[in-house]
Amino acid sequence: MSFILGVVIGVTFGLAIIIAFVKSENARSKYRTELASGIAAFARMTVDDSRKIFTPEQYPSWVVFSNQQKLKWLNSHLEKIWPYVDEAASELVKSSVEPVLEQYRPVILASLKFSKFTLGTVAPQFTGISIIEDGSEGITMELEMQWDGNPSIILDIKTYVGVALPVQVKNIGFTGIFRLIFRPLVDEFPCFGAVCYSLRQKKKLDFTLKVIGGDMTAIPGLSDAIEGTIRDAIEDSITWPVRKVIPILPGDYSDLELKPTGVLEVKLIQAKELTNKDLIGKSDPFAVLYVRPIRDRMKKSKIINNDLNPIWNEHFEFVVEDPLTQHLVVKIYDDEGLQSAELLGCAHIRLNELEPGKVKDIWLKLVKDLEIQRDQKNRGQVHLELLYCPIGMKNGLTNPFSQTETMTSLERVLKNGAEGNETSPNGGEISKRREVIVRGVLSVTVISADDLPPADIGGKADPYAVLIMKKAQIKNKTRVVNESLNPVWNQTFDFVVEDGLHDMLIVEVWDHDTFGKDFMGKCILTLTRVLMEGEYKDTFELSESKSGKLNLHLKWNPQPLYRDS
């Protein structure tokens, strides 16, 4: 029921504070002046001189510069107008939520509608305020809200087998942060043209589902289906960066609506030292990745059986709407067959840590919980390669995954015939995205290694390196350097690569013995960086080794093929 609650809270704040004051006759006549004067004073200061830095004394008395502040002023007024809010917002929520519920309705249900909806008699309490300095021509506030409400919400649920169940939502407890954006600022009362509101963060959400006169377990899976569907719906409809725009003054506010700002290219390369959850054998790990936790926008990797150091080498693409606040989440699970998968660990990285157009190669430590990171247990690491490409990026930056000119004419014809076209909503044809094929020659110079671990009794080693192109399974190896932990090879190898974006280079270091060999460590590299930069030299730490680094020089020579005359 998170979606219902999210919309209730959003409409409670957005419509209660804005519409109830601006449009409700009863509330307007009693309480509009005090609230509007505070907001108007705040807005006018920015309108008068948007570039001027104001001192704390120039802001309204209820705005301070601490990160969070108690809002007794706002809470007292919200309690006074709550009956009007309940009256105005309940019908609006009901009429606006039902179509969304229908859109996300589980397949096991024939219909999902409200038979009763009121917000109850308990008003939310705002517990903190933050003023966000984001450089925009407007005012951005974040308000933390707590609500232990007593709403009366009843859902009428009908299944395809003719069973009708009235489901009551009870015991709602919520703590979260709402973002309010007042934009654009104008010199006409109330000094802003529109307000956007969004659920910036859910901190706590508790509620109870109860079938009136029945048992929720009467239909197996019903409760999970409803909760899962609504969880997707709230993320897709009200959670930041999604925002609801309420026009206050006439005008075009389409620029305030949610729009894609870029594309995040993700290479899930590998993981190491994962926790073993199996009594017999090893875990069977797979990864789930997302920027927004919506089912159709979450990506799942293949399962690597019986391996605590899996190599995936899989590429995923995510739409980004707000790189300043969004982050990539990676969760590693152990596949349990017909049973629910068990979480091995998770990690995330904020997108504002990425430099647009530049590949970031990173290892992330896995933790038990992203919210409470007090876990000191080693749960392993996950290796990612990230590339954020803003829409319409300039300065010569390119996204190699979106190029098509390196495809052969035959490939273009075959892919056109095999994939066909889709029909756009306006009736026109749009081409499906095609997989990019990048051919070329990769030149790898194995320069040297430093601080290799001893492999012989005398504290030395006889190291050599083996180079493997994983997809093509092409191998080359250097000469053996006797009795050295800091060998110098300076040998160059050329590999004809058929699919540079999806292949990877593995360099293993071995100790040569007369009657065998000992593994000393390895490093794994995707080719994205060399494809973008053309050539680079770098030092790479050896994994699965106590010590050691490899010094490599990589160079890419693209060789697109064109078969037509």
Side-chain angles (χ1 to χ4, degrees), residues 457-471:
I457 297 177
K460 294 289 185 178
D462 305 316
Y464 67 95
V466 177
L467 295 82
I468 307 166
M469 294 306 301
K470 182 174 175 58
K471 200 167 184 179

Side-chain angles (χ1 to χ4, degrees), residues 265-267 302 312-316 385 400-401 433-438 469-472 497-505 525-528 531 556:
E265 308 284 355
V266 179
K267 281 279 189 72
K302 59 180 177 285
W312 286 287
N313 188 34
E314 294 189 60
H315 169 256
F316 304 100
E385 180 185 83
F401 293 94
R433 179 183 176 89
R434 300 182 181 90
E435 184 178 13
V436 179
I437 306 298
V438 179
M469 294 306 301
K470 182 174 175 58
K471 200 167 184 179
V497 180
E498 295 294 327
D499 187 1
L501 289 175
H502 302 95
D503 212 336
M504 65 194 319
L505 172 68
L525 292 80
T526 70
L527 307 188
T528 310
L531 291 179
W556 177 256

Side-chain angles (χ1 to χ4, degrees), residues 14 26 33 72 80 108 121 129 137 155 164 169 225 267 323 342 403 442 445 477 501 564:
N26 291 330
T33 303
K72 296 181 180 179
K80 294 176 183 178
I108 63 174
T121 59
I129 181 174
E137 295 293 327
L155 281 167
V169 185
K267 281 279 189 72
E342 187 171 359
Q403 295 175 352
L442 176 68
T445 300
K477 67 178 181 178
L501 289 175
D564 52 350

Side-chain angles (χ1 to χ4, degrees), residues 13 56 125 147 510:
F13 183 81
Q125 293 290 300
W147 189 30
W510 295 82

Side-chain angles (χ1 to χ4, degrees), residues 16 20 24 26-27 30-31 76-90 118-124:
S24 173
N26 291 330
K30 290 187 177 182
Y31 306 112
S76 64
H77 282 74
L78 186 57
E79 290 178 0
K80 294 176 183 178
I81 68 165
W82 186 249
Y84 307 108
V85 173
D86 183 25
E87 180 183 357
S90 294
T118 62
L119 298 178
T121 59
V122 179

Side-chain angles (χ1 to χ4, degrees), residues 179 264 273 394 402 542:
R179 171 169 285 192
L264 177 67
E273 301 175 2
K394 301 178 181 178
S402 65
L542 292 176

